[in-house]
Amino acid sequence: MKKLYLKRILATHLILLVLLLMFTPTAMAFNSADVKEIFPEEQVEQLIERINSQVISRDKQPLISSRSRDFSISMRSGDDNYGVYPTRPGVILVTPDKFMDFIPLGHSAIIRTSSTVVEATARGVVTGPNDWYRTRNRCYAVTVIETSPEQDLAASAWCYKQRRKPYNFNYFNIWTRRRFYCSQLVWAAFLDQYGINLDTPAFGHAIHPIELVTSPKTELIYVKE
Amino acid sequence: MIRKTLVFCLILLVFLGACSIAEDATKNNSRATLGIITTISTKKNSAIHFFDNSLNLIESYPVAYASVGSYFYVPEVIDGKLYTRSKSEEVILEIDLKEINTTTYSIGQPGINDLRVSKNLLFCCNTLDNISIISRLDLPSKELKTKEFKDVYVSKLLCDDQRLYAFVTDLGEELSSSLYLLDRDLNLLDKVDLSSFGITQYKAIQDQNYLYFSNPTSVKDEANNLIARFNKSSHEIKSYTLDHTMPNDLLFVDDTLLIAHYNPVTAESNGISFLDLSTETVTHHKLDHGIMQMAYKEPSLYVLDEDTIYEYHIKNRQLLFIQKSLIPLDKKGSYTSGLFLMP
């Protein structure tokens, strides 16, 4: 009788576990309340405001591009683009777009080749098409001031080669290399290879993607608003 | 008891993994000639817009997922069903274009890039932690099989009745590319080096004997002007040099291969080249708009740009502009992510 009771309890828990797994979206792996506490929305907005006064520089290397005199660029009506959307490996992409419109985390990635980007996501380090020109509502591109294009390229290769690295939900533990979150991955690439620390005093040790734009060690080369 | 519970859980997983969502019952899309996907990356607010042959918008159907489709890939339409993916929500969408029912399949992989369907088998690819995963889903039975390929990025899939073709690029310090030939059980049969033609091939089409693929960037990651043809039997590759760079979308129109010169990364464009496959002569047609994707239904060539669909007729290898129509992109952050012809 007792054995049957235990089995029932176990079965109920198993069903509940399956239901929980089925109805918990991947995104909810981020605890929205924690993220908002670590990266207060007002502070993120203040940093974004600061970007508006930043000068848009020319990239350190001529654009690797199809561009020739007879090429034309099309864009959606209503989009404001400043500078040229980058395709150079090692350029850092940042979006302040809120995940599903409520998590003020933003996101960052690094260009690996002209048509691919590498980004740390909740599921690991993902490689995909360089499509931020359209898929992001707002987008910034920055380049590290003191590095050469070759060093930027090597930094992007370092990010790409990270294997079996799950998401780092402990945003303050930026020193681990066993797991990454998006801006930590990009930050670590330049710190570990060249000793360049792109972190700013904002948010303590945690690195918000926007800090990669406001860092005095990067310069803004493209803005989409 | 435990066994019964496990069986119940398994059934529940399969049921929920492939649940059908009945949407708007009003189906006026029977007059539709083509469909266009619009989507947003941060909101579950995508849509399919149906246009008639005068490019009038007939109907728009909401699709309650984010990041649906991709303008890097032409949507797959097989047996009246549209197959695409929601990148952020990690699901494959099967949309019955007649009934407008959406069935979702969970592959369990993040960041799905391309997907193709052939004879009840759905193949898709993603690259996670420097490992590409090609997944095969048996649509009727929901049986899932995956295969890992280390150190490469799979940029494009194609399949026929016998084989699956995967265009892969090694994105390590030294860039290189290959064509992987797999059987339908995902066993690797052969690798063909494509590095001399280019890397990160995103667009390819096929006929019975050949694969044609665009090489918009060279192995040095610089703008390129090559189209290549792979012989499925002999594995020989022939290349065609074009006068203009950034070949992207490809389309067969009779014995002519249409090649869009378009950089999907930066939305730069430079018209369409016509490659006559019998004489191998190339003519170029300048267009003053982007060519994100193309589709052909005699006598009309449909060209998708950022927020506009254009119709041309092709006469004596010349493009005649017929009409254009705006695509409803009324939501902030929305973009077009696919063009397809109605079955």
Side-chain angles (χ1 to χ4, degrees):
Chain A
M1 189 68 180
K2 198 174 178 181
K3 201 174 170 185
L4 188 67
Y5 175 74
L6 280 171
K7 278 185 178 178
R8 278 188 180 160
I9 294 280
L10 189 63
T12 310
H13 278 79
L14 197 59
I15 291 170
L16 283 172
L17 182 68
V18 168
L19 286 171
L20 192 69
L21 286 171
M22 289 304 300
F23 290 107
T24 303
T26 316
M28 293 310 287
F30 299 97
N31 185 323
S32 172
D34 286 352
V35 171
K36 285 182 175 175
E37 212 167 279
I38 298 165
F39 303 114
E41 213 161 344
E42 305 75 41
Q43 200 178 344
V44 174
E45 287 303 322
Q46 282 169 10
L47 290 178
I48 293 170
E49 277 296 309
R50 270 178 51 189
I51 296 171
N52 292 338
S53 60
Q54 282 184 232
V55 175
I56 299 170
S57 308
R58 287 178 74 91
D59 192 12
K60 63 181 74 157
Q61 181 172 286
L63 185 72
I64 300 168
S65 163
S66 52
R67 184 158 300 137
S68 58
R69 280 180 194 161
D70 54 353
F71 266 77
S72 59
I73 300 179
S74 56
M75 63 177 70
R76 295 177 304 197
S77 50
D79 276 353
D80 290 324
N81 287 251
Y82 304 96
V84 177
Y85 183 80
T87 56
R88 184 173 62 78
V91 168
I92 301 164
L93 300 172
V94 173
T95 178
D97 291 353
K98 293 175 187 173
F99 188 79
M100 289 303 165
D101 256 6
F102 67 92
I103 299 178
L105 199 53
H107 192 37
S108 58
I110 190 163
I111 296 176
R112 176 64 202 105
T113 67
S114 58
S115 67
T116 55
V117 296
V118 175
E119 51 197 305
T121 71
R123 299 287 300 276
V125 180
V126 167
T127 306
N130 181 359
D131 59 5
W132 284 42
Y133 176 74
R134 281 204 197 80
T135 60
R136 308 298 156 166
N137 195 8
R138 290 182 292 170
C139 177
Y140 308 112
V142 296
T143 181
V144 177
I145 295 168
E146 289 178 9
T147 50
S148 67
E150 291 73 25
Q151 287 176 313
D152 292 342
L153 190 147
S156 74
W158 185 88
C159 292
Y160 170 72
K161 285 196 284 188
Q162 299 302 317
R163 178 168 284 174
R164 305 289 187 208
K165 301 291 171 69
Y167 194 78
N168 179 10
F169 288 100
N170 184 353
Y171 298 108
F172 292 106
N173 183 11
I174 56 177
W175 308 109
T176 181
R177 296 294 179 264
R178 290 183 177 173
R179 46 188 69 234
F180 288 108
Y181 58 94
C182 61
S183 38
Q184 180 207 357
L185 175 70
V186 175
W187 164 85
F190 288 93
L191 183 75
D192 291 8
Q193 313 258 320
Y194 314 117
I196 299 171
N197 187 350
L198 302 179
D199 194 10
T200 75
F203 314 113
H205 278 311
I207 304 166
H208 190 280
I210 287 295
E211 288 183 82
L212 301 172
V213 185
T214 58
S215 168
K217 294 178 180 172
T218 60
E219 59 186 2
L220 190 62
I221 58 171
Y222 170 79
V223 173
K224 176 188 174 188
E225 292 178 335
Chain B
M1 184 67 183
I2 296 288
R3 193 175 298 160
K4 279 181 184 171
T5 308
L6 281 170
V7 170
F8 172 75
C9 290
L10 200 66
I11 291 167
L12 191 69
L13 279 167
V14 170
F15 175 74
L16 292 173
C19 62
S20 288
I21 303 160
E23 298 194 8
D24 195 332
T26 320
K27 298 171 189 75
N28 295 326
N29 62 346
S30 55
R31 292 185 290 117
T33 299
L34 55 96
I36 288 167
I37 306 169
T38 62
T39 191
I40 303 180
S41 61
T42 54
K43 288 181 183 174
K44 299 182 181 190
N45 210 341
S46 304
I48 296 178
H49 308 283
F50 293 101
F51 292 81
D52 66 14
N53 57 10
S54 300
L55 295 188
N56 296 311
L57 178 65
I58 303 172
E59 197 79 62
S60 295
Y61 291 106
V63 179
Y65 291 89
S67 297
V68 172
S70 166
Y71 51 86
F72 275 75
Y73 301 108
V74 176
E76 184 86 306
V77 176
I78 301 278
D79 297 333
K81 290 171 181 168
L82 167 72
Y83 292 88
T84 185
R85 56 86 167 126
S86 163
K87 190 166 188 173
S88 55
E89 290 161 89
E90 301 182 8
V91 291
I92 303 288
L93 306 176
E94 178 191 84
I95 300 170
D96 186 317
L97 293 170
K98 192 176 177 191
E99 300 299 323
I100 312 297
N101 285 333
T102 303
T103 304
T104 60
Y105 299 98
S106 177
I107 301 290
Q109 293 292 339
I112 293 167
N113 290 320
D114 198 15
L115 67 90
R116 296 293 122 195
V117 176
S118 166
K119 286 190 171 176
N120 287 331
L121 292 179
L122 183 146
F123 300 95
C124 63
C125 60
N126 65 308
T127 303
L128 179 68
D129 298 331
N130 194 14
I131 297 168
S132 282
I133 300 119
I134 297 181
S135 304
R136 187 196 76 174
L137 178 71
D138 185 303
L139 292 170
S141 71
K142 315 290 184 296
E143 184 197 358
L144 182 65
K145 183 175 186 175
T146 60
K147 188 116 181 185
E148 292 189 351
F149 299 90
K150 289 179 182 170
D151 300 321
V152 292
Y153 167 63
V154 177
S155 58
K156 171 72 192 157
L157 294 176
L158 269 183
C159 56
D160 60 22
D161 290 351
Q162 275 91 41
R163 285 180 186 167
L164 178 68
Y165 304 92
F167 290 87
V168 309
T169 297
D170 183 338
L171 294 177
E173 276 86 357
E174 294 292 321
L175 300 171
S176 63
S177 68
S178 304
L179 178 66
Y180 284 9
L181 281 68
L182 297 91
D183 64 20
R184 290 167 69 87
D185 287 321
L186 303 184
N187 298 307
L188 184 62
L189 305 173
D190 198 5
K191 293 180 184 179
V192 180
D193 187 18
L194 300 182
S195 304
S196 59
F197 304 101
I199 56 165
T200 53
Q201 291 87 355
Y202 283 105
K203 292 290 174 74
I205 56 174
Q206 63 179 323
D207 59 21
Q208 203 171 349
N209 303 314
Y210 301 105
L211 303 181
Y212 292 84
F213 55 97
S214 291
N215 300 278
T217 48
S218 71
V219 75
K220 291 181 178 172
D221 200 17
E222 293 169 345
N224 201 11
N225 60 345
L226 284 182
I227 290 292
R229 187 187 74 180
F230 173 77
N231 186 316
K232 291 181 182 180
S233 305
S234 68
H235 294 192
E236 286 174 346
I237 304 178
K238 177 182 173 60
S239 67
Y240 303 89
T241 304
L242 305 167
D243 291 335
H244 297 79
T245 57
M246 282 286 161
N248 187 49
D249 206 15
L250 301 172
L251 188 69
F252 290 123
V253 177
D254 301 325
D255 59 349
T256 303
L257 182 66
L258 271 57
I259 303 150
H261 295 276
Y262 181 72
N263 184 345
V265 177
T266 56
E268 297 165 275
S269 60
N270 189 9
I272 299 175
S273 287
F274 284 25
L275 169 62
D276 186 318
L277 294 171
S278 51
T279 64
E280 299 189 357
T281 53
V282 180
T283 51
H284 182 260
H285 302 271
K286 178 93 179 153
L287 295 178
D288 61 0
H289 57 78
I291 311 132
M292 193 187 280
Q293 288 182 0
M294 303 184 290
Y296 182 75
K297 186 174 187 180
E298 194 175 6
S300 298
L301 172 70
Y302 298 101
V303 177
L304 175 65
D305 191 14
E306 295 281 313
D307 55 3
T308 310
I309 178 81
Y310 296 85
E311 181 186 0
Y312 294 89
H313 284 180
I314 300 173
K315 277 190 181 165
N316 302 323
R317 302 197 190 285
Q318 295 297 315
L319 280 176
L320 304 173
F321 172 75
I322 303 299
Q323 58 188 332
K324 65 178 180 178
S325 181
L326 277 176
I327 299 157
L329 285 174
D330 46 358
K331 301 176 192 86
K332 181 72 177 163
S334 63
Y335 59 94
T336 46
S337 58
L339 161 71
F340 61 90
L341 290 175
M342 288 296 282

